[in-house]
């Protein structure tokens, strides 16, 4: 009889533990918010990198143009 009670308590506690862990959605909501924030930051960084690359190309073109003009005057 004692074993039956012990086994039933273990089974009941296991079921309660599984149910509690499966129904808890607070961690998933926080995780979703973090992922959304990271995606937003990633997109902003990609946009900034593209803008910087464009600006660097413009500066290189300007320097090449100035260099050609300087060499032509010599």
């Amino acid at each position: 009889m004692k074993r039956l009670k012990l086994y039933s308590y273990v089974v009941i506690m296991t079921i309660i533990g599984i149910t509690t862990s499966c129904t808890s959605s607070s961690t998933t909501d926080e995780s979703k918010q973090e992922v959304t924030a990271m995606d937003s930051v990633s997109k902003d960084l990609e946009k900034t990198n593209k803008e910087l690359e464009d600006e660097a190309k413009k500066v290189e073109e300007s320097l090449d143009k100035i260099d050609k003009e300087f060499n032509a005057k010599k």
Side-chain angles (χ1 to χ4, degrees), residues 1-73:
M1 197 67 166
K2 288 182 181 182
R3 286 187 180 176
L4 182 61
K5 285 184 180 181
L6 177 65
Y7 289 136
S8 63
Y9 287 136
V10 170
V11 170
I12 290 171
M13 293 305 288
T14 304
I15 291 172
I16 290 172
I18 291 172
T19 305
T20 303
S21 66
C22 289
T23 58
S24 175
S25 65
S26 63
T27 57
T28 58
D29 290 340
E30 292 172 3
S31 297
K32 287 179 185 178
Q33 289 175 351
E34 288 178 10
V35 169
T36 303
M38 285 187 237
D39 286 344
S40 175
V41 169
S42 176
K43 288 177 185 177
D44 288 343
L45 286 174
E46 288 176 5
K47 180 180 175 185
T48 303
N49 282 339
K50 186 173 179 356
E51 291 173 356
L52 287 174
E53 287 175 4
D54 292 342
E55 290 296 321
K57 286 179 185 178
K58 288 179 184 178
V59 169
E60 279 184 29
E61 290 172 0
S62 296
L63 288 175
D64 286 341
K65 184 178 177 182
I66 291 171
D67 192 38
K68 286 179 185 177
E69 288 178 9
F70 182 75
N71 287 334
K73 288 184 180 181

